[in-house]
Amino acid sequence: MEDKTILITGANDGIGRATAERLAARGAHLVLACRDEVKAQQTAQAITSKTGNHRIDTLPLDLSSFRSVRAAADEFLAEHPKLDVLINNAGVYTDTLEITEDGYELQFAVNHLGHFLLTMLLLPALRCCRNCSRVINVSSALHFKGGLDFSSFDGKAAGKSYSGTKAYAQSKLSNVLFTMELDRRFGQELTTNCLHPGLVGTRLANKKAGALTSTVWSMYKPFAIKPNKGADTSVYLAASPEVKDVSGRYFDENQCLQKPSSIARNEQLARRLWEYSEQAVADFLKGEEE
Ligand SMILES: NC(=O)c1ccc[n+]([C@@H]2O[C@H](COP(=O)([O-])OP(=O)(O)OC[C@H]3O[C@@H](n4cnc5c(N)ncnc54)[C@H](OP(=O)(O)O)[C@@H]3O)[C@@H](O)[C@H]2O)c1
């Protein structure tokens, strides 16, 4: 993959880091887009030591801030004319309602809106690759438990009734709906797929979750697969010639095509989510088409 440039969000930990390591071993030029610049640079050095690949760059990116997403995209586009693969991997889980600086519920903002904005801003570089660029959205089988409540996106109505699991499932459902709509809109120019990585023993639910969730998550970990295995489907979708023309699909942890939930297949809902997201990030898309 020496001629490929691949940007991975949340590449300094868990599945994203394992994905980066595997793709670096194949010689790709990687851009690790992470919110913690120090951790990102340490990860880049560790990947270089392990794989011998020196083409590992870092890019500061905080997906909970539209301003940061715009700055990251501008920096990337100033230095790179093309992007072959975009892996929207970063994710957050929390039990506590948090509202971002832009006024959105944290999990919806990071897991969906930030990635939506990033993808829109990087479209010019993705389109440069002429029918061979790939967008990969790391969703979850938990999307099957998700519904879409547009009134909950700003978190205002939730108050004490906030459910972290419900908000997480909603954000992961949004990943699948975004995948399907991106394919409908840009399927002639790029491929877009999403995936469930499996139950993977990362620190996802140890970082911001409450004590109970964190304890339960830690109890599950011995039965979970390792991050390296959890990266299998992301690596497959990024690199395999088998899927070069496959788009608008949902894959499981064994790289098998699966039917996503019936809500995830609702075209009208996907269009509505797209329009909502476009409006939410509109101020940060300005200047792109000028
Ligand atoms: N683990 C599972 O069983 C599982 C199952 C289904 C789906 N997934 C999905 O897999 C993806 C990766 O999760 P993981 O399990 O590997 O968890 P993880 O180890 O916690 O990795 C998540 C990554 O996202 C980054 N991140 C969090 N908030 C961010 C923000 N505001 N801006 C930029 N980056 C941010 C984290 O940065 P820090 O290192 O700074 O925290 C970390 O690098 C997520 O999309 C998750 O929803 C995981």
Side-chain angles (χ1 to χ4, degrees), residues 10-15 35 39 61-64 89-92 110 138-140 168 172 196-200 202-204 207 217:
N12 61 252
D13 208 355
I15 300 163
R35 63 177 163 175
K39 257 161 80 177
L61 169 71
D62 181 351
L63 286 155
S64 71
N89 161 83
V92 65
V110 171
V138 181
S139 177
S140 167
Y168 179 77
K172 293 287 120 181
H196 168 61
L199 176 65
V200 189
T202 64
R203 295 192 337 101
L204 178 68
K207 290 175 176 171
W217 181 252

Side-chain angles (χ1 to χ4, degrees), residues 82-95:
K82 73 168 180 96
L83 176 60
D84 299 275
V85 183
L86 169 62
I87 307 182
N88 288 321
N89 161 83
V92 65
Y93 176 84
T94 179
D95 286 319

Side-chain angles (χ1 to χ4, degrees), residues 103-165:
Y104 295 94
E105 184 275 327
L106 182 74
Q107 299 192 82
F108 181 70
V110 171
N111 300 351
H112 170 64
L113 280 179
H115 281 127
F116 174 88
L117 175 60
L118 182 69
T119 309
M120 290 303 99
L121 292 168
L122 294 180
L123 271 177
L126 287 160
R127 284 163 137 176
C128 266
C129 301
R130 300 214 171 274
N131 306 330
C132 65
S133 59
R134 304 178 183 198
V135 177
I136 297 155
N137 297 318
V138 181
S139 177
S140 167
L142 271 179
H143 88 269
F144 282 99
K145 303 241 179 255
L148 223 55
D149 174 4
F150 284 74
S151 73
S152 74
F153 293 163
D154 63 8
K156 278 188 191 139
K160 284 192 177 138
S161 69
Y162 179 75
S163 157
T165 322

Side-chain angles (χ1 to χ4, degrees), residues 149-276:
D149 174 4
F150 284 74
S151 73
S152 74
F153 293 163
D154 63 8
K156 278 188 191 139
K160 284 192 177 138
S161 69
Y162 179 75
S163 157
T165 322
K166 209 168 152 186
Y168 179 77
Q170 173 168 264
S171 73
K172 293 287 120 181
L173 170 64
S174 301
N175 293 156
V176 186
L177 286 162
F178 172 49
T179 301
M180 303 306 164
E181 189 62 19
L182 187 64
D183 174 56
R184 277 189 282 274
R185 292 181 186 230
F186 295 98
Q188 301 299 321
E189 300 174 74
L190 46 95
T191 67
T192 313
N193 291 293
C194 58
L195 66 114
H196 168 61
L199 176 65
V200 189
T202 64
R203 295 192 337 101
L204 178 68
N206 297 126
K207 290 175 176 171
K208 287 182 82 68
L212 181 62
T213 307
S214 185
T215 308
V216 171
W217 181 252
S218 296
M219 282 162 57
Y220 269 116
K221 271 196 201 170
F223 308 101
I225 57 176
K226 298 272 179 276
N228 189 45
K229 177 93 187 106
D232 278 357
T233 307
S234 293
V235 172
Y236 171 73
L237 291 175
S240 173
E242 265 176 37
V243 282
K244 75 176 173 48
D245 298 319
V246 177
S247 190
R249 298 305 180 101
Y250 170 71
F251 289 79
D252 68 14
E253 66 269 45
N254 298 311
Q255 300 81 63
C256 296
L257 266 176
Q258 298 294 346
K259 208 188 228 191
S261 73
S262 55
I263 305 178
R265 287 181 277 121
N266 183 325
E267 289 188 24
Q268 215 183 331
L269 196 64
R271 200 163 42 245
R272 200 175 150 208
L273 176 66
W274 182 285
E275 284 162 5
Y276 179 98

